[in-house]
Amino acid sequence: MVKKVLKVIRWVFVLTFISTILTVVAYRFVPVYFTPLMISRCFEQIGKGESVKLYHDWIPLEKMPKSMPVAVMASEDQRFLIHHGFDYQAIEMAAEEHLKKGKKLRGGSTISQQTAKNVFLWQGRSWVRKGLEAYFTFLIEALWSKQRIMEVYLNSIEMGDGIYGVEACAEQNFGMEAIQLDRRDCALIAATLPNPRRFSSKTPGPYMRKRTGQIEHQMTFIAPFPEEHE
């Protein structure tokens, strides 16, 4: 009986492992129209008695302004193009600041980690979810290009209440298509990403305007995002 149970567990593990790889491979080519975060937010809205708001329009990276990837790298992950999913230098610096200066320990999630979390996992801070986040981060770094990771990230990241991706954000908050966003618009959107339901790119306050200026300044030190070579 024990052997049968162990055999079933082993096959479940193997099939789960294979299915995760196949899913990641599929998303290398197929647009990601829905994510666990989008679904959970919809249930949150229903639970609060609110009408469901879900704005999301997938567009390829080439239909986004050139400044958009640069803005999110300046804001979220300046070493995105040179690390392999985990920015150990940033983690070390954050830990040092925490131990020596008593500063609050920063999360330091890379764009790759955020993409893995948004596309494949639920929200939360458990060790199980963090472990799976590391696993999926490793997979997308191994099986996707940096351009694909950035494309999925900019299409799936939450950018406002019920707003996901740069195209929906441009339409809802700026009244235009994403490709029409200028450099400052991109910096403003990037400035909201730590908490896009608290900070609005549609009605930015003094803090947001200051943060936008800081990101624009950082953008001058980041090279244009490279195109993918077939």
Coordinates of all heavy atoms in Angstrom, one line a residue, residues 61 69 73 81 146-147 223-229:
L61 N 6.1 44.0 -27.8 CA 7.1 44.9 -27.3 C 7.4 46.1 -28.3 O 7.6 47.2 -27.9 CB 8.4 44.2 -26.9 CG 9.4 45.0 -26.1 CD1 8.9 45.4 -24.8 CD2 10.7 44.1 -26.0
P69 N 10.6 50.2 -21.4 CA 11.5 49.2 -20.7 C 12.6 50.0 -19.9 O 12.9 49.5 -18.8 CB 12.1 48.4 -21.9 CG 11.1 48.6 -23.0 CD 10.5 50.0 -22.9
M73 N 13.3 49.6 -15.9 CA 14.6 49.2 -15.4 C 15.2 50.2 -14.4 O 15.7 49.9 -13.4 CB 15.5 48.9 -16.6 CG 15.2 47.6 -17.3 SD 16.6 47.2 -18.5 CE 16.5 48.5 -19.7
L81 N 19.4 43.4 -17.5 CA 20.0 42.8 -18.7 C 21.3 42.0 -18.4 O 21.7 41.2 -19.2 CB 20.3 43.9 -19.7 CG 19.1 44.6 -20.3 CD1 19.6 45.8 -21.2 CD2 18.3 43.6 -21.2
K146 N 15.5 37.9 -22.7 CA 15.2 39.1 -21.9 C 14.1 39.9 -22.5 O 13.3 40.5 -21.8 CB 16.5 39.9 -21.7 CG 17.5 39.3 -20.8 CD 17.1 39.3 -19.4 CE 18.2 38.9 -18.5 NZ 17.9 39.0 -17.0
Q147 N 14.0 39.9 -23.8 CA 13.0 40.7 -24.5 C 11.6 40.1 -24.2 O 10.6 40.9 -24.0 CB 13.2 40.7 -26.0 CG 14.4 41.6 -26.4 CD 15.8 41.0 -26.2 OE1 15.8 39.8 -25.9 NE2 16.8 41.7 -26.4
A223 N 21.2 52.3 -21.0 CA 21.2 52.2 -22.5 C 19.8 51.8 -23.0 O 19.0 51.2 -22.3 CB 22.3 51.2 -22.9
P224 N 19.5 52.2 -24.3 CA 18.3 51.7 -24.9 C 18.1 50.2 -24.8 O 19.1 49.5 -24.9 CB 18.4 52.2 -26.3 CG 19.4 53.4 -26.3 CD 20.3 53.0 -25.2
F225 N 16.9 49.8 -24.6 CA 16.6 48.4 -24.5 C 16.9 47.7 -25.9 O 16.4 48.1 -26.9 CB 15.2 48.1 -24.1 CG 14.9 46.7 -23.6 CD1 15.4 46.3 -22.4 CD2 14.2 45.9 -24.4 CE1 15.1 45.0 -22.0 CE2 13.9 44.6 -24.0 CZ 14.4 44.1 -22.8
P226 N 17.7 46.6 -25.9 CA 18.1 46.0 -27.1 C 16.9 45.2 -27.8 O 16.1 44.7 -27.1 CB 19.2 45.0 -26.7 CG 18.9 44.7 -25.3 CD 18.3 46.0 -24.7
E227 N 16.9 45.2 -29.1 CA 15.9 44.4 -29.8 C 16.3 43.0 -29.9 O 17.5 42.6 -29.8 CB 15.8 44.9 -31.3 CG 15.2 46.3 -31.3 CD 15.0 46.8 -32.8 OE1 15.3 46.0 -33.7 OE2 14.6 48.0 -33.0
E228 N 15.4 42.1 -30.0 CA 15.7 40.7 -30.0 C 16.1 40.2 -31.4 O 15.5 40.6 -32.4 CB 14.4 39.8 -29.6 CG 14.7 38.4 -29.5 CD 13.6 37.6 -28.7 OE1 12.5 38.2 -28.5 OE2 13.8 36.5 -28.4
H229 N 17.2 39.5 -31.5 CA 17.7 39.0 -32.8 C 17.2 37.6 -33.0 O 17.3 36.7 -32.1 CB 19.2 39.0 -32.8 CG 19.8 40.4 -32.6 ND1 19.6 41.4 -33.6 CD2 20.4 41.0 -31.6 CE1 20.2 42.5 -33.2 NE2 20.7 42.3 -32.0

